[in-house]
C-alpha cells in the first residue's frame, strides 16, 4: 500500500478550507439578503417587533418563551409575538426575521388575510415544508407538491374521500373502534392511569390503515412493522422548536430514520405488489376506492394508453416509489391529527358537563337507550351519523380551540395581502405562516374567543354575534388545497364519541401526573393544562394522562 504523500495531504487541507470558506460566504450572503429584506420592510412601516440589523428578531423570542411551557408548540409563541407587536391600525399580522433558523416570515393571525393567501391567490406551498414532511412521507407528496403534478395527484385521490364513499366505510371504522372501546374497558377495570393520546394514536392508525391499504393493521393489539416504524419516525423527528443541540444533532438519528424508512417502504411496496397481482389476475378486485387501489387505477390507466405494449408483470419502480410516498402521507396525516382531536373532545366535555349531558341525550335519541346496540345500528344504518348536529358542533368547537396544525404558503412578487383598513402587505421573499390556533381564537373576530361554546355552530342567523366569520374556522383549511380527508376525520370522531361517551367517564389526570413529575416550570397555556405540544401534529401535553371509569 502506498501512503499518501505530503502533496496529497496539503490538497486535502486546501479542499477542506475552500469548503469551509464557501459555506461561510454562503451563510453571510444569505444572511445579508434576509436582513436586507427586513431593512426594507421596516422602512415601509410594516408591523414587526423591534429589529436588530445583526440579530434580526431573535432577541424578541426569549421574553415570550419565559411565559410558555418549554414544550409548547411554536404557534403559541408566534401568536404571543403577534399580539404584542401588531399595529393598532392594522390587522393581526407581523413580519419575523428569524435567520439563521428560518427564512423571512409573515405570521398571519387574521381570517381576512388567511382567506386571501389560501383562497383568493392560492399561493404555493413553500420549499421549507419538505424538511418537515420528507422524513414522514419519504419524498415530495400531495401536501408539498405544486402545479400540474399536484393537480393530477389530487384528482386521482378525490373519489376516495367523497361523502358517500366515506360513509360506506362506517363498518370498517366501527370494527377498529370496538377494539379501542375494549381497550378503554380494560383500563377502567384495572383503574390505571394511562396516556389517552398514545392509545388513541394506535386506534386511528388502524382506522387509516384500513381506509388506505384496504387491510387491517391490528396495531392496537399486536406489533405491526408499518405502524411501529411510522410512530417511531415521529418520535425521532426533530422540529424547529427543539433547542437542545444534543437532541437536534444526535448522530444516531439518520440511521434510525433510514431504518424506519426501509420498514415502511418495504411494507407498502409488498402491499402494492400484492394488490397489483390481484388486479392483473382478476379485474373485479378493482372495485375498492381505497388509496392503494386509486393509485393503482391511475397506473393501470396509463398502461392502457400504451396499446402496442403488453401489460408489465411487475409494477414500475418509479410508480411504486411515488405511490409509497403518497400512502405514507395519508397514513401519517390520517391518524395523527384525528387522534389529537378525539383527546381534546374528551378534555373539553369533561370541563363542561352541561355539554356532555346534551351530547349523551342526542346519542340516546338517535341510537336508542341500549348502548350495546350502537355499533350494530351504525353498521346497518350509517346515515344516522348525519343526524348528530350537536355532536358535530362539539367537534367543530374542539377543533376551533385546539386545531392540530397550521398552514404555510410562499409569497410571490407583486402579490400583496390587504386588510379591511386598507393596509397592504408585500409577500415577496417571505413564507406565510397562517396560525390556525391564533386565527380561530382572534378576539377581534370571535366573541368569548377562549370559551367552549358549541352553540356557535348551531346559530342560523348571520347577524347573531356568535355566527362564525367567513374563513375564521380553518382546521382543514379552505380553497383548492383544503384537507382531502376532512369528511373521514369528522366521521372518525363521531363514531368514536358515539361508542364511548355513554359508556365511560373519561377524566384527565394532570394533577396526579404533576404530583408524580413535580416541576416549577410553566405548565399552562391560556389557562389550559392540556396545552398543545408538537409531535408530528399538535398533541396534548404529556400524552394526556387520564383515567377511565365505567358509567352505571
Amino acid at each position: 500500500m502506498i501512503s499518501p504523500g505530503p502533496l496529497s495531504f496539503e490538497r486535502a487541507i486546501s479542499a477542506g478550507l475552500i469548503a469551509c470558506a464557501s459555506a461561510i460566504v454562503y451563510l453571510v450572503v444569505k444572511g445579508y439578503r434576509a436582513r436586507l429584506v427586513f431593512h426594507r420592510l421596516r422602512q415601509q412601516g410594516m408591523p414587526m417587533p423591534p429589529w436588530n440589523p445583526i440579530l434580526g428578531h431573535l432577541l424578541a423570542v426569549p421574553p415570550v418563551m419565559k411565559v410558555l411551557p418549554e414544550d409548547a408548540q411554536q404557534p403559541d409563541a408566534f401568536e404571543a409575538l403577534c399580539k404584542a407587536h401588531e399595529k393598532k391600525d392594522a390587522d393581526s399580522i407581523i413580519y419575523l426575521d428569524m435567520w439563521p433558523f428560518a427564512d423571512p416570515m409573515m405570521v398571519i393571525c387574521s381570517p381576512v388575510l388567511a382567506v386571501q393567501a389560501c383562497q383568493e391567490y392560492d399561493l404555493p406551498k413553500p420549499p421549507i415544508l419538505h424538511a418537515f414532511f420528507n422524513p414522514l412521507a419519504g419524498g415530495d407528496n400531495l401536501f408539498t407538491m405544486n402545479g400540474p403534478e399536484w393537480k393530477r395527484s389530487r384528482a386521482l385521490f378525490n373519489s376516495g374521500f367523497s361523502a358517500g364513499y366515506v360513509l360506506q366505510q362506517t363498518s370498517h371504522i366501527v370494527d377498529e373502534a370496538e377494539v379501542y372501546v375494549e381497550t378503554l374497558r380494560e383500563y377502567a377495570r384495572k383503574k390505571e392511569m394511562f396516556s389517552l393520546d398514545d392509545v388513541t394514536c394506535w386506534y386511528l392508525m388502524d382506522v387509516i390503515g384500513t381506509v388506505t391499504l384496504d387491510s387491517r393493521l391490528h396495531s392496537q393489539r399486536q406489533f405491526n412493522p408499518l405502524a411501529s416504524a411510522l410512530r417511531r419516525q415521529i418520535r425521532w423527528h426533530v422540529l424547529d422548536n427543539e433547542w437542545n443541540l444534543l437532541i437536534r444533532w444526535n448522530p444516531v438519528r439518520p440511521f434510525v430514520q433510514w431504518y424506519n424508512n426501509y420498514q415502511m417502504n418495504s411494507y407498502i411496496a409488498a402491499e402494492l405488489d400484492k394488490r397489483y397481482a390481484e388486479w392483473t389476475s382478476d379485474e373485479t378486485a378493482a372495485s375498492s376506492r381505497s388509496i392503494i387501489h386509486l393509485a393503482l387505477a391511475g397506473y393501470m390507466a396509463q398502461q392502457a394508453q400504451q396499446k402496442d405494449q403488453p401489460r408489465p408483470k411487475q409494477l414500475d419502480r418509479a410508480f411504486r416509489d411515488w405511490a409509497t410516498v403518497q400512502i405514507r402521507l395519508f397514513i401519517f396525516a390520517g391518524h395523527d391529527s384525528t387522534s389529537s382531536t378525539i383527546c381534546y373532545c374528551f378534555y373539553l366535555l369533561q370541563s363542561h358537563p352541561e355539554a356532555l349531558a346534551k351530547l349523551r341525550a342526542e346519542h340516546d335519541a338517535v341510537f336508542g337507550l341500549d348502548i350495546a346496540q350502537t355499533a350494530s345500528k351504525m353498521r346497518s344504518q350509517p346515515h344516522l351519523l348525519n343526524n348528530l348536529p350537536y355532536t358535530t358542533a362539539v367537534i367543530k368547537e374542539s377543533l376551533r380551540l385546539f386545531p392540530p396544525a397550521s398552514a404555510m404558503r410562499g409569497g410571490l412578487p407583486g402579490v400583496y395581502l390587504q386588510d379591511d383598513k386598507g393596509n397592504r402587505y408585500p409577500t415577496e421573499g417571505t413564507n406565510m405562516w397562517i396560525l390556525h390556533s391564533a386565527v380561530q381564537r382572534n378576539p377581534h373576530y370571535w366573541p368569548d374567543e377562549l370559551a367552549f361554546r358549541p352553540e356557535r355552530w348551531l346559530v342560523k342567523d348571520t347577524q347573531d354575534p356568535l355566527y362564525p366569520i367567513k374563513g375564521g374556522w380553518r382546521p382543514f383549511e379552505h380553497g383548492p388545497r383544503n384537507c382531502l380527508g376532512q369528511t373521514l376525520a369528522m366521521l372518525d370522531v363521531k363514531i368514536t364519541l358515539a361508542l364511548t361517551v355513554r359508556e365511560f367517564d373519561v377524566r384527565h389526570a394532570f394533577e396526579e401526573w404533576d404530583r408524580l413529575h413535580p416541576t416549577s416550570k410553566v405548565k399552562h397555556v391560556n389557562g389550559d393544562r392540556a396545552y398543545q405540544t408538537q409531535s408530528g401534529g399538535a398533541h396534548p401535553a404529556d400524552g394526556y394522562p387520564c383515567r377511565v371509569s365505567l358509567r352505571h
Side-chain angles (χ1 to χ4, degrees), residues 66 68-71 518-524 529 531:
K66 287 181 180 178
L68 291 172
E70 289 181 351
D71 57 347
T519 180
S520 58
K521 297 178 180 178
V522 178
K523 297 296 285 185
H524 289 82
R529 178 60 182 84
Y531 58 88

Side-chain angles (χ1 to χ4, degrees), residues 52 95 234 271 274 340 380 386 391 403 405 422-423 472 511 513:
N52 184 293
Y95 290 82
I234 293 171
E271 287 290 318
K274 176 183 173 183
S340 171
S380 61
N386 293 328
T391 302
N423 301 298
E511 292 183 5
W513 173 270

Side-chain angles (χ1 to χ4, degrees), residues 269-290:
E271 287 290 318
L272 283 163
D273 289 338
K274 176 183 173 183
R275 300 290 184 229
Y276 182 65
E278 291 173 353
W279 199 328
T280 53
S281 62
D282 178 11
E283 299 216 359
T284 60
S287 59
S288 172
R289 277 191 274 171
S290 62

Side-chain angles (χ1 to χ4, degrees), residues 371-382:
I371 62 174
Q373 298 299 315
T374 304
S376 62
K377 283 194 174 183
M378 285 192 287
R379 284 193 179 96
S380 61
Q381 304 174 70

Side-chain angles (χ1 to χ4, degrees), residues 225-440:
L226 171 62
S228 296
L230 178 53
R231 294 300 303 158
R232 190 165 56 242
Q233 192 80 326
I234 293 171
R235 288 195 299 271
W236 279 83
H237 193 23
V238 172
L239 300 163
D240 291 337
N241 61 345
E242 180 54 70
W243 298 101
N244 188 326
L245 298 183
L246 293 177
I247 296 176
R248 197 177 186 91
W249 295 337
N250 188 336
V252 178
R253 177 173 295 102
F255 299 100
V256 175
Q257 290 181 326
W258 175 88
Y259 178 72
N260 293 337
N261 282 326
Y262 172 77
Q263 289 283 90
M264 288 186 279
N265 293 347
S266 298
Y267 189 101
I268 294 171
E271 287 290 318
L272 283 163
D273 289 338
K274 176 183 173 183
R275 300 290 184 229
Y276 182 65
E278 291 173 353
W279 199 328
T280 53
S281 62
D282 178 11
E283 299 216 359
T284 60
S287 59
S288 172
R289 277 191 274 171
S290 62
I291 298 303
I292 193 169
H293 279 94
L294 290 172
L296 284 169
Y299 175 75
M300 299 293 279
Q302 287 181 340
Q303 296 300 316
Q305 293 174 0
Q306 302 173 7
K307 297 180 181 179
D308 56 336
Q309 296 183 11
R311 179 182 289 172
K313 294 181 179 179
Q314 293 182 329
L315 284 174
D316 176 72
R317 182 170 181 176
F319 164 77
R320 186 194 287 119
D321 291 344
W322 173 87
T324 297
V325 169
Q326 310 316 316
I327 289 170
R328 280 176 57 172
L329 172 72
F330 279 113
I331 294 174
F332 163 68
H335 94 280
D336 186 83
S337 56
T338 310
S339 60
S340 171
T341 301
I342 289 170
C343 290
Y344 279 115
C345 283
F346 284 132
Y347 173 67
L348 291 165
L349 288 169
Q350 173 190 337
S351 306
H352 299 84
E354 71 289 349
L356 180 57
K358 289 182 181 178
L359 192 73
R360 287 169 171 163
E362 181 175 76
H363 293 179
D364 285 343
V366 172
F367 299 111
L369 298 178
D370 186 357
I371 62 174
Q373 298 299 315
T374 304
S376 62
K377 283 194 174 183
M378 285 192 287
R379 284 193 179 96
S380 61
Q381 304 174 70
H383 64 275
L384 292 177
L385 291 158
N386 293 328
N387 302 333
L388 299 171
Y390 192 75
T391 302
T392 301
V394 165
I395 298 169
K396 294 184 76 170
E397 184 70 346
S398 300
L399 282 165
R400 183 186 73 83
L401 291 169
F402 296 101
S406 293
M408 185 78 74
R409 295 300 176 100
L412 292 176
V415 175
Y416 292 77
L417 305 184
Q418 181 170 318
D419 64 24
D420 290 340
K421 301 176 179 65
N423 301 298
R424 300 175 79 235
Y425 308 99
T427 69
E428 181 178 2
T430 69
N431 292 323
M432 281 159 283
W433 199 2
I434 297 121
L435 304 184
H436 289 171
S437 52
V439 170
Q440 296 176 174

Side-chain angles (χ1 to χ4, degrees), residues 460-478:
K460 303 297 183 184
D461 183 2
T462 58
Q463 301 304 312
D464 191 305
L466 275 185
Y467 192 85
I469 183 171
K470 176 185 177 182
W473 186 79
R474 43 196 327 115
F476 300 114
E477 258 311 329
H478 292 287

